[in-house]
């Protein structure tokens, strides 16, 4: 299977690249800066380009089986929402995927992106209230991504994370689709593992698992 990973040089993205290569995937890693990803492998291709460069995106996407985005918004406490570069990147990626006839998209998000299965509980309510008050730009990015994927023709999965600063990997991970109890913390390794596992989980298409450490 051939996959493309956006945000490949981020903390979760790098783990995702390594796990995908270990699993035997052919990986195209897309970064915005040269020399941002210090990984070498015979099954790894690194492409450098802007996230809204349609021709470069097409080079990264055409002929692949799935696209995974570990892109995340920069933490910002600014009150005025002006630019939404991560949402704009998703718009460009989805547009090119539709042009290329590729449908499988797995993207990283938070419970600020709401699922139809969500019921009122701490892991679905708290991550919506706090970012709206304390980090309006990242919150707006998530809501922008939510609108884009729900209006797209993609076979999408949104892997939602809360507090990915957990240092231990625990005993693997579990997920809630918003309708069952879950926990707040997940390691970056387990977040990446959940994203990679989603590639082959057809039952997760149009689902938004919240991933947490066991």
């Amino acid at each position: 299977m051939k996959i493309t990973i956006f945000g490949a040089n981020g903390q979760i993205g790098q783990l995702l690249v390594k796990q995908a290569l270990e699993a035997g995937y052919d990986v195209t890693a897309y970064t915005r800066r040269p020399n941002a990803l210090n990984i070498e492998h015979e099954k790894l291709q690194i492409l450098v380009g802007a996230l809204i460069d349609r021709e470069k995106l097409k080079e990264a996407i055409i002929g692949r089986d799935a696209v995974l985005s570990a892109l995340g918004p920069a933490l910002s406490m600014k009150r005025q929402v002006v630019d939404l570069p991560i949402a704009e990147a998703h718009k460009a990626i989805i547009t090119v995927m539709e042009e290329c006839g590729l449908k499988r998209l797995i993207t990283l998000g938070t419970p600020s992106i709401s699922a139809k299965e969500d019921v009122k509980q701490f892991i679905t309510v708290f991550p919506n209230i706090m970012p709206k008050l304390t980090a309006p730009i990242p919150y707006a990015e998530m809501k922008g991504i939510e609108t884009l994927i729900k209006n797209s023709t993609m076979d999408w999965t949104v892997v939602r994370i809360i507090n990915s600063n957990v240092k231990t990997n625990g005993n693997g991970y579990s997920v809630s689709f918003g309708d069952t109890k879950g926990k707040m913390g997940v390691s970056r390794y387990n977040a990446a593992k959940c994203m990679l596992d989603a590639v082959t989980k057809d039952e997760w298409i149009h689902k938004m698992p919240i991933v947490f450490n066991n």
Side-chain angles (χ1 to χ4, degrees):
M1 184 174 286
K2 298 179 180 179
I3 65 173
T4 294
I5 298 173
F6 290 94
N9 59 302
Q11 292 177 309
I12 291 176
Q14 290 187 51
L15 291 167
L16 185 53
V17 170
K18 292 175 182 176
Q19 291 175 17
L21 292 170
E22 289 169 2
Y25 288 90
D26 288 322
V27 178
T28 298
Y30 197 99
T31 68
R32 285 172 279 183
R33 302 186 311 277
N35 305 314
L37 184 63
N38 295 316
I39 302 174
E40 294 184 2
H41 195 282
E42 61 182 6
K43 288 195 171 186
L44 174 64
Q45 175 190 21
I46 299 175
L47 292 180
V48 179
L51 290 172
I52 55 173
D53 183 335
R54 299 292 176 89
E55 289 305 311
K56 202 70 178 180
L57 292 178
K58 188 175 293 186
E59 182 182 349
I61 289 170
I62 196 165
R64 276 55 170 194
D65 299 299
V67 168
L68 294 84
S69 170
L71 294 167
L75 293 177
S76 173
M77 304 298 285
K78 292 180 180 178
R79 307 307 302 172
Q80 186 176 4
V81 177
V82 182
D83 297 322
L84 299 176
I86 303 304
E88 284 300 313
H90 279 74
K91 181 179 180 180
I93 290 167
I94 289 170
T95 299
V96 173
M97 287 181 69
E98 289 176 336
E99 290 174 357
C100 295
L102 176 58
K103 297 183 72 69
R104 192 68 177 109
L105 172 66
I106 296 99
T107 192
L108 194 64
T110 72
S112 294
I113 299 176
S114 57
K116 65 179 185 296
E117 292 86 359
D118 286 348
V119 297
K120 286 187 177 180
Q121 57 169 316
F122 195 71
I123 62 169
T124 58
V125 174
F126 181 78
N128 256 303
I129 295 174
M130 286 306 295
K132 191 185 300 185
L133 298 174
T134 62
I137 295 176
Y139 178 80
E141 291 270 36
M142 290 296 106
K143 301 310 286 186
I145 292 169
E146 177 183 342
T147 298
L148 285 165
I149 62 167
K150 287 182 177 179
N151 290 335
S152 75
T153 60
M154 298 293 97
D155 289 337
W156 51 259
T157 299
V158 180
V159 173
R160 297 183 289 175
I161 59 174
I162 313 168
N163 180 22
S164 60
N165 295 317
V166 176
K167 302 303 181 185
T168 175
N169 296 326
N171 296 310
Y173 73 83
S174 295
V175 300
S176 164
F177 292 97
D179 54 351
T180 57
K181 293 295 182 183
K183 300 176 185 177
M184 290 283 288
V186 64
S187 69
R188 294 185 179 97
Y189 180 91
N190 282 335
K193 183 69 166 61
C194 184
M195 290 187 72
L196 189 63
D197 290 345
V199 173
T200 54
K201 287 183 179 289
D202 290 346
E203 66 271 24
W204 284 10
I205 291 174
H206 295 161
K207 299 289 186 181
M208 300 188 186
I210 300 171
V211 57
F212 50 90
N213 277 13
N214 285 333

